[in-house]
Amino acid sequence: VEMLLGYQRLTGPSTDFTLRQCDVNAVMRASARRFAPLFIEKKLRLNYQETTLRALTDEKWLAFVLEQVLSNAVKYTRRGSVTLRADEAAHAVIVEDTGIGIAPEDLPRVFEKGFTGYNGRTDKKASGIGLYLCRRILRALNHDIEINSAPGAGTVVRIRLQTRQGRLE
């Protein structure tokens, strides 16, 4: 429901972006807490690393993106862990999992609207809209997202954040 509401807001005539310097650690911590029950239920370990990173962003929309990425990490990780950390030198938030990974032929299309790929079709709960929204939101905020993955080797999602005023789309 939250994803659909986010989609509606993004496709409407105006957005509600509010850019300000943000404590990225606070957003990361709140997003991780939201998934605590699922980590416990699935017996997954969360490796959380504190950060002093600050970024010019919209806190609510950054949280939306992080929660979508964490949701995917938990959904597609059967055992092992999810790591949530920042690379302060690169001004990036990183989510790494030990999950099932993404097929090489699916990687170039994961941000396409409606694309679910092999794992999404197997899972039958994927909508193909989550990563599409993430990229759209992040581009509007002058941020970027990239994914590296291999089947059986997990996935690494890197969200590069803007640290100074840029052009807002």
Side-chain angles (χ1 to χ4, degrees), residues 76 78 100-103 106 116-126 149 151 155:
Y76 295 112
R78 294 188 181 112
I100 61 176
I102 301 168
D106 289 347
T116 56
Y118 177 78
N119 293 337
R121 286 187 296 277
T122 302
D123 178 61
K124 294 184 177 67
K125 293 179 185 170
S149 186
T155 300

Side-chain angles (χ1 to χ4, degrees), residues 14-116:
S14 67
T15 60
D16 62 344
F17 293 138
T18 303
L19 291 181
R20 57 177 60 117
Q21 283 295 322
C22 169
D23 175 2
V24 175
N25 194 67
V27 177
M28 289 169 50
R29 186 182 309 116
S31 297
R33 277 192 186 128
R34 185 151 187 237
F35 288 91
L38 282 175
F39 278 100
I40 293 166
E41 178 183 318
K42 292 187 76 173
K43 296 180 173 80
L44 296 175
R45 185 176 61 253
L46 172 64
N47 300 316
Y48 181 85
Q49 296 175 12
E50 298 276 331
T51 183
T52 59
L53 184 62
R54 297 188 63 77
L56 183 66
T57 192
D58 182 294
E59 198 168 318
K60 177 184 80 173
W61 285 105
L62 179 59
F64 178 93
V65 169
L66 269 179
E67 289 169 11
Q68 178 60 46
V69 172
L70 282 169
S71 172
N72 285 350
V74 171
K75 183 188 326 184
Y76 295 112
T77 301
R78 294 188 181 112
R79 67 175 95 76
S81 65
V82 174
T83 299
L84 178 58
R85 64 183 178 87
D87 179 341
E88 293 182 11
H91 300 287
V93 174
I94 299 166
V95 178
E96 297 177 69
D97 66 55
T98 59
I100 61 176
I102 301 168
E105 61 272 17
D106 289 347
L107 264 176
R109 299 189 60 202
V110 295
F111 296 110
E112 289 180 17
K113 184 177 174 184
F115 182 76
T116 56

Side-chain angles (χ1 to χ4, degrees), residues 11 22 97 114 136 141 144 149-150 154:
T11 58
C22 169
D97 66 55
R136 187 167 172 171
L141 292 170
D144 195 19
S149 186

